[in-house]
Amino acid sequence: MHDQPIDREATRSLTRLRPRLAVTFAEERAADPTAWDAFTARLETHFPALFGPMLRLYGGRYDFFYYLERSLELAARSWLVRPVALRALDEEREADPAWFHSEQMMGAVCYVDLFAKNLAGLRERISYLRELGITYLHLMPLFLAPEGNSDGGYAISDYRQVDPHLGTMDQLADLATDLRTNGISLVLDFVFNHTSDEHPWARQAIAKPDDEDANAYLMFPDRTLPDAYERTLRDIFPDQRPGSFTWRPDAARWVWTTFNSFQWDLNYANPEVCHRMAE
């Protein structure tokens, strides 16, 4: 299969998958045929860009087609609940794919607490951002992270909760809407290469290190593989924390921790990790 052109395999796979998607989303298609037609049109255009990398990463697995189909189901569900205003913005940006290269774009980056204390305070400063000419606001990590071992918010323990000191997910959604109304694109610093060791996946891996769900991380029963890897790995914080692996006696495993002992590297060789993070 890998010797044949990727686009041919993509076309063949999509031809097989589209009828299955139509059955899965029969009720949604009937309720909003316009939205479904828009999704399938986008799917036709962008599927090769999804299929190619997934094939290279997971094509040798027995369950590749299963994860490919789950990815399309996830995309469909996300599209069908996407607000109409955001769909319109999608179309506008697709008509001008280099929109973010415009000389009229002006970016700013900040930590919410240092700039405005919390999300409510940030909403109150939107007029100030407009006066500065800001059209692109990048917020540093704001999701739930452990007190003390947060690494400035980069050790995330829950991707579905905002740090309560900053606000709530509803407030974040309201902020995004207000910024967009004022011509400002909101960008979040989304940390996807590791999680906090307090993330539910990590806690589950500690409780059941031999369970399939522990494959969300890279864990080893002894130093054989960690020693082999560390012959060529570069220490990120050599003075504060040398080495790239941490022994966890509560799991009797060495865990790959590139940055800090409390930041566990995610295992993207496992397609379930890729799918969960896409969610």
Side-chain angles (χ1 to χ4, degrees):
M1 180 173 67
H2 294 277
D3 294 332
Q4 299 180 31
I6 294 294
D7 56 351
R8 183 187 303 173
E9 295 301 330
T11 299
R12 185 179 300 173
S13 295
L14 185 57
T15 299
R16 293 170 176 169
L17 284 165
R18 284 188 62 168
R20 296 171 61 88
L21 289 173
V23 172
T24 300
F25 293 95
E27 292 184 8
E28 292 84 353
R29 286 191 301 121
D32 193 347
T34 301
W36 183 256
D37 289 344
F39 169 73
T40 55
R42 290 168 61 84
L43 180 60
E44 198 77 38
T45 300
H46 299 292
F47 180 73
L50 170 68
F51 179 81
M54 283 197 69
L55 183 66
R56 287 191 291 272
L57 286 169
Y58 308 121
R61 293 178 56 104
Y62 74 94
D63 51 4
F64 166 70
F65 202 80
Y66 165 75
Y67 279 103
L68 180 62
E69 184 171 8
R70 285 184 66 194
S71 295
L72 298 191
E73 290 175 356
L74 172 60
R77 291 192 185 95
S78 299
W79 172 259
L80 292 170
V81 300
R82 190 163 175 77
V84 173
L86 290 180
R87 293 183 194 170
L89 183 60
D90 293 337
E91 292 183 5
E92 179 184 325
R93 288 176 171 175
E94 286 183 340
D96 180 21
W99 62 270
F100 54 91
H101 288 300
S102 169
E103 74 281 0
Q104 297 179 2
M105 294 294 293
M106 176 67 71
V109 58
C110 68
Y111 275 100
V112 174
D113 56 340
L114 298 180
F115 177 63
K117 189 176 180 180
N118 52 38
L119 294 175
L122 187 52
R123 288 182 74 185
E124 295 174 356
R125 288 163 172 75
I126 290 178
S127 59
Y128 171 66
L129 295 172
R130 286 192 62 182
E131 290 178 15
L132 294 177
I134 301 302
T135 62
Y136 173 107
L137 181 63
H138 176 165
L139 300 183
M140 299 298 278
L142 48 70
F143 295 105
L144 186 65
E147 294 282 351
N149 287 337
S150 71
D151 189 26
Y154 282 91
I156 294 175
S157 52
D158 193 335
Y159 292 96
R160 300 183 186 276
Q161 288 190 58
V162 170
D163 182 332
H165 296 102
L166 303 179
T168 66
M169 290 294 280
D170 287 340
Q171 288 179 314
L172 179 60
D174 290 340
L175 172 66
T177 300
D178 285 354
L179 286 170
R180 187 166 61 251
T181 301
N182 284 274
I184 302 175
S185 298
L186 176 62
V187 179
L188 300 183
D189 204 315
F190 185 75
V191 185
F192 58 84
N193 56 324
H194 53 233
T195 74
S196 162
D197 61 357
E198 294 189 15
H199 191 282
W201 302 346
R203 291 179 174 178
Q204 189 170 10
I206 291 172
K208 298 180 178 180
D210 294 317
D211 194 78
E212 184 177 3
D213 286 338
N215 288 333
Y217 304 95
L218 294 154
M219 306 174 72
F220 308 90
D222 56 46
R223 286 290 309 187
T224 303
L225 285 175
D227 285 344
Y229 282 122
E230 287 195 331
R231 294 190 192 106
T232 55
L233 287 175
R234 177 177 66 89
D235 288 351
I236 304 300
F237 303 124
D239 295 330
Q240 294 85 3
R241 204 194 70 79
S244 298
F245 298 86
T246 298
W247 173 253
R248 291 293 301 228
D250 46 1
R253 295 289 189 279
W254 288 93
V255 183
W256 201 322
T257 54
T258 297
F259 287 87
N260 285 292
S261 58
F262 52 83
Q263 287 168 300
W264 289 19
D265 289 28
L266 286 165
N267 176 21
Y268 280 92
N270 178 359
E272 184 65 28
V273 170
C274 185
H275 183 79
R276 288 180 179 181
M277 294 301 286
E279 286 180 319

